């Protein structure tokens, strides 16, 4: 416990790493915001292998609006050489921590408060940078990362049950995004990115830019926390309010496919 001196903790980790150690800094996502300067100046510029174990990623419910972990992805997304993992399940969390410790450069593993989400039938967690739940050739691809995957998979199952070809692209490594997954969804009629984080500068905007770079001709939509602070409520209520629960994602896709319903 660094006693609300997270800036010092990052510089201390940099000192350890520069002497051959492999420090792991466990920190709330909301408190990592204090460390932006140290991450860049003391860690990233030197390419040091410091691992950031970023707890409370996403909305956290009754801790209040100050504790939501909604800015860490957008913040770390700007840091050159940084690798960021966002697991959904415990096996992925353990594996991502091991991968991060063995990265040659700075790495972060972000994970939410609470229990493990339900795994969809037939889905096996993986340490690959990305996996598909359903066919990559589906006409509708939902893209997401972290715990949001579980709700996205349920929404895709509902869409398939109604005859819509739908799949989920689940990102484990959100920075850097593997370019092959962007190419893999380029044939979809609709790519809809759902992000439990701030929209501005986030992973969804990066994904959109990568699609544009390969001249994607389909429809792209992004739902994230858009230029606002999120209030105090239960996690379930907040995800419902943000349209990031199963019903919200299902309805968002249906609205694009059938705008006149």
């Amino acid at each position: 416990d660094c006693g609300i001196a997270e800036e010092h903790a990052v510089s201390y980790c940099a000192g350890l790493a520069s002497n051959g150690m492999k420090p792991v800094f466990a920190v709330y996502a909301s408190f990592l915001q204090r460390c932006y300067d140290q991450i860049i100046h003391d860690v990233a510029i030197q390419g040091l292998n410091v691992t950031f174990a970023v707890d409370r990623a996403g909305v956290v419910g009754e801790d209040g609006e100050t504790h939501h972990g909604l800015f860490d992805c957008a913040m770390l997304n700007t840091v050159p050489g940084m690798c960021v993992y966002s697991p959904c399940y415990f096996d992925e969390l353990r594996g991502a921590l091991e991968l991060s410790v063995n990265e040659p450069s700075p790495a972060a593993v972000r994970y939410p408060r609470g229990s493990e989400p339900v795994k969809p039938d037939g889905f096996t967690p993986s340490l690959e940078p990305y996996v598909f739940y359903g066919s990559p050739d589906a006409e509708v691809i939902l893209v997401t990362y972290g715990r949001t995957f579980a709700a996205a998979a349920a929404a895709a199952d509902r869409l398939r049950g109604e005859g819509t070809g739908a799949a989920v692209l689940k990102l484990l490594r959100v920075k850097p995004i593997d370019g092959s997954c962007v190419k893999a969804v380029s044939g979809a009629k609709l790519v809809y990115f759902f992000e439990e984080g701030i929209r501005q500068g986030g992973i969804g905007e990066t994904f959109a830019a990568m699609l544009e770079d390969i001249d994607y001709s389909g429809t792209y939509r992004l739902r994230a926390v858009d230029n606002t602070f999120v209030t105090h409520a239960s996690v379930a209520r907040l995800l419902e309010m943000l349209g990031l629960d199963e019903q919200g994602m299902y309805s968002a896709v249906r609205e694009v496919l059938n705008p006149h319903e």
Side-chain angles (χ1 to χ4, degrees), residues 132 136 141 143 169 180-188 191 207 211 216:
F132 280 94
I141 304 288
V143 188
L169 169 60
S180 64
C181 74
V182 179
K183 292 179 181 177
V185 304
S186 62
V191 175
F207 200 90
L211 280 172
Y216 173 62

Side-chain angles (χ1 to χ4, degrees), residues 98-181:
E98 184 173 348
L99 289 172
S100 295
V101 168
N102 289 296
E103 285 283 347
S105 56
V109 182
R110 59 186 310 274
Y111 49 95
R113 177 186 185 186
S115 58
E116 183 178 58
V118 173
K119 294 186 182 74
D121 290 340
F123 177 78
T124 302
S126 168
L127 294 182
E128 293 298 318
Y130 66 90
V131 294
F132 280 94
Y133 174 68
S135 172
D137 297 325
E139 64 174 324
V140 176
I141 304 288
L142 287 64
V143 188
T144 194
Y145 59 87
R147 68 173 167 196
T148 312
F149 164 73
D157 286 341
R158 286 180 65 181
L159 291 164
R160 284 198 294 267
E162 296 173 352
T164 299
V168 182
L169 169 60
K170 177 188 178 300
L171 302 175
L172 174 65
R173 193 183 68 201
V174 297
K175 177 180 168 60
I177 297 173
D178 194 310
S180 64
C181 74

Side-chain angles (χ1 to χ4, degrees), residues 161-255:
E162 296 173 352
T164 299
V168 182
L169 169 60
K170 177 188 178 300
L171 302 175
L172 174 65
R173 193 183 68 201
V174 297
K175 177 180 168 60
I177 297 173
D178 194 310
S180 64
C181 74
V182 179
K183 292 179 181 177
V185 304
S186 62
K189 174 182 176 182
L190 170 64
V191 175
Y192 212 130
F193 201 111
F194 295 95
E195 181 165 13
E196 192 183 339
I198 199 72
R199 177 189 180 109
Q200 291 72 21
I203 308 306
E205 288 194 346
T206 300
F207 200 90
M210 294 175 73
L211 280 172
E212 184 176 355
D213 286 344
I214 62 170
D215 297 322
Y216 173 62
S217 59
T219 299
Y220 182 79
R221 292 288 185 273
L222 167 59
R223 172 169 290 180
V225 179
D226 196 358
N227 198 33
T228 188
F229 293 106
V230 174
T231 188
H232 175 102
S234 69
V235 170
R237 175 61 180 146
L238 290 173
L239 292 176
E240 179 187 1
M241 290 167 56
L242 294 168
L244 294 171
D245 61 350
E246 174 191 338
Q247 180 62 44
M249 288 186 260
Y250 166 80
S251 297
V253 172
R254 292 282 299 174
E255 184 178 347

